[in-house]
Amino acid sequence: MTLVSIQDDGSNGKLPRARGRGRAQLKDPRRGGCSDLTSLRAARRAPSSSRCDGAAETHRAGVRNREGRRLSLEVLTTEAPRRALSSPVPIARLAPNPHPGKNAPPPRTLLLSLRILVPQEEEFGLDAPKDLGPLQFVKLRKHHSLVDDAWFCDRITVQGPGAGEEVAFPCYRWVQGDGVLCLPEGTARLAGDNALDVFQKHREKELKERRQIYCWATWKEGLPQTIAAGCEDDLPPNVRFHEEKRRDFEWTLKAGALEMVLKRVYTLLSSWNHLEDFDNIFWGQKSTLAEQVRQHWQEDELFGYQFLNGANPMLLRRCTSLPSRLVLSSGMEALRAQLEKELENGSLFKADFTLLDGIPANVIRGEQQYLAAPLVLLKMEPSGKLLPMVIQIQPPSHSCPTPPLFLPSDPPLAWLLAKCWVRNSDFQLHQLQYHLLNTHLLAEVIAVATMRCLPGLHPVFKLLIPHIRYTMEINTRARTQLISDGGIFDKAVGTGGGGHVHLLRRAMAQLTYRSLCPPHDLADRGLLGTPGAHYAHDALQLWEITARYVEGIVQLFYHGDDVVKEDPELQAWCREITEVGLCQAQDRGFPVSLQSQNQLCHFLTMCVFTCTAQHGAINQGQLDWYAWVPNAPCTMRMPPPTTKEDVTMATVMGSLPDVRQACLQMAITWHLGRRQPDMVPLGHHKEMYFSSPKAKAVLNQFQRDLENLEKAITARNEQLNLPYEYLRPSLIENSVTI
């Protein structure tokens, strides 16, 4: 049984004075979408063994006031049972009397009991003793039963009489246990905007309960704080994967493991002595671009292209001077002159991997692995091609001879091996610094702080909540399966076995607020206006579109800088991110308070951009650029070469991952880089947290802007040999979910 309680404030209101109706729906979140019902929506989860495409039942409930006018509710349900949850979630209790005082009248409440039976249509009627005034709360309670058949409630709307105003009560939470879930009317409000004390007390109680549910934890000292959960089952149910997502995630892990076994069996009697032997495992799940990478990965043009538009476009910088670590010995005067000429023309670029210097390398199955900290200098040709000029695999050291400089004119295998070392180093920084830390862990900090500091009525909560969907669970799974002791990194990656934590700490110490904002980051790296830099161009466009969307929402609720300064919930949220989640990051430019509309908009744009576009740019390229393992080897099994003449094919193959490591790299990059089946494109979330027409108009404009950018990118890509797809809005997920 579900108890629906509609509470008013005791004043005369217009909603119930004539006939009105409401509707409810139960949906299976695995399938996405709902029937076109308008008023009371309640969604529930079905088990993995059932689907909600069977028969449905409809309940109609009507309420008649003294004048004989009727407010009706209609409930559509399916007969499919729901998957039981393992742990209860604390939910809100009844709201207090909005008119406190000894002689204050109690709030008027309408109670309707709707029993979910076999598929049928059922009518309920009740005479209301008094007129119902403006609706404030809807309270849901699921009747306690032996089976935990939790409901996932989507949204409740109540339609007023005739063409009266529709009142919305967003939920998007589980209804379970035998407590009462209290849903306030969904109009976004700042703490100072509450005309009725009942809303203020509701938001205070909501935050108090949320702070008990969403707690901070330290995964590793010196790294961002995380949600307190030892495994995904410890997470609050409201942030867990829905059934379709859970089943797909776990199935693809099993499918990847099976593919690894088949490839190992297939290669048992095969040699592993030549680069062509990687073809023996290059089958199964792969993309069209991955096939192009296999064919052209040894070419300098593709090597340089990846620094602009590959899986990691975040490291390249325009040189303003020759790097101090570059040692040009006698006999290299021609190279120096060439470098200085490119420097003078503004066409000299670098990728410096010094962050890896001294990071301990992994030991896999008793075999020592190796890391390097290369420096690459590249030139931009007038045609837009970015070509490598020189590679220094290791920085100079007082205890070692001067490291050799590898050039395109060197013996082909020596030059190829030098590029493999660069690609291996790029793999490490991409996965740990730019992917895990700068998107996943930062998004989790934003998510936890939002749940702890912003009540559901706050406009910033409503703005951000679609962009933190699934983030806590995917990160929790990463900490227990990917970067845990004995996880994927330990089994196959050169920085595994503890080196990854050292590297993350170094990257955390260098993480600045500016580096997360493309207008500043691209300017600092000298990439503004660089020809052929498609990531840079698309990222700037998306930042501007996102900024306009954020500004549109902010201006609806913050009518001046003073309103921003005086919002205690907003200030607590900002402080929680910088001081708690990011471990006192104010010395790296992160704000501890927000003093103006512009500062608030910039910070919120960074939050939304990080959780959406930036993660899309960094995550989606894995399947394309890492499936052909020699192009981005996850580990290196021999030390970097110190001479050029001694490099043979045996040296190259002995350095690249073995067949076991290569199979694991292919499997995990397919699992993490493929398009998700329940993917929600940027800006197209189905949840309607904002109920006002003005807020909906801002979201609609955001969607139109994204569609226009989509058309522009599609038209550009038609002219390119290698289309850049990662920042096409339709391919960007609305949150960090994988």
Side-chain angles (χ1 to χ4, degrees), residues 14-205:
K14 62 181 180 180
L15 287 180
R17 289 192 175 276
R19 181 178 178 82
R21 64 188 177 88
R23 294 177 181 173
Q25 171 187 349
L26 294 180
K27 75 173 182 179
D28 179 358
R30 299 170 309 148
R31 297 165 57 85
C34 306
S35 302
D36 187 19
L37 301 176
T38 59
S39 191
L40 169 65
R41 295 184 183 174
R44 65 180 181 178
R45 169 185 276 175
S48 57
S49 60
S50 64
R51 297 183 64 85
C52 289
D53 47 1
E57 65 175 315
T58 301
H59 299 270
R60 288 194 180 91
V63 183
R64 192 179 302 274
N65 65 16
R66 288 182 300 176
E67 299 174 355
R69 297 189 175 122
R70 190 176 183 83
L71 182 71
S72 64
L73 298 173
E74 183 179 280
V75 183
L76 173 68
T77 67
T78 65
E79 63 178 344
R82 293 166 299 277
R83 175 175 175 262
L85 294 179
S86 59
S87 60
V89 57
I91 60 176
R93 296 181 179 274
L94 292 172
N97 190 335
H99 298 288
K102 182 176 181 181
N103 299 319
R108 293 198 298 278
T109 301
L110 172 66
L111 303 179
L112 299 175
S113 297
L114 307 180
R115 183 180 296 276
I116 306 304
L117 304 172
V118 295
Q120 67 176 27
E121 189 174 290
E122 196 167 347
E123 294 264 354
F124 296 87
L126 180 66
D127 287 333
K130 294 182 180 180
D131 291 341
L132 298 177
L135 301 181
Q136 294 180 359
F137 290 90
V138 167
K139 301 174 182 178
L140 301 179
R141 186 182 70 196
K142 184 184 69 65
H143 179 70
H144 181 70
S145 61
L146 295 178
V147 178
D148 185 4
D149 53 349
W151 288 46
F152 187 87
C153 180
D154 179 13
R155 176 182 173 88
I156 296 172
T157 60
V158 179
Q159 179 68 54
E165 181 181 356
E166 183 181 78
V167 184
F169 301 84
C171 182
Y172 307 110
R173 282 174 281 173
W174 289 102
V175 182
Q176 60 179 14
D178 54 3
V180 175
L181 181 59
C182 185
L183 306 179
E185 188 273 319
T187 301
R189 301 172 172 85
L190 298 178
D193 289 343
N194 298 308
L196 299 169
D197 186 62
V198 63
F199 286 114
Q200 183 62 31
K201 291 186 176 180
H202 171 81
R203 64 201 296 151
E204 290 172 359
K205 184 165 188 172

Side-chain angles (χ1 to χ4, degrees), residues 675-695:
R675 184 180 174 92
Q676 300 300 296
D678 65 342
M679 181 263 197
V680 177
L682 173 61
H684 287 78
H685 43 277
K686 300 293 191 298
E687 298 86 355
M688 293 182 287
Y689 289 98
F690 286 106
S691 57
S692 75
K694 290 183 179 180

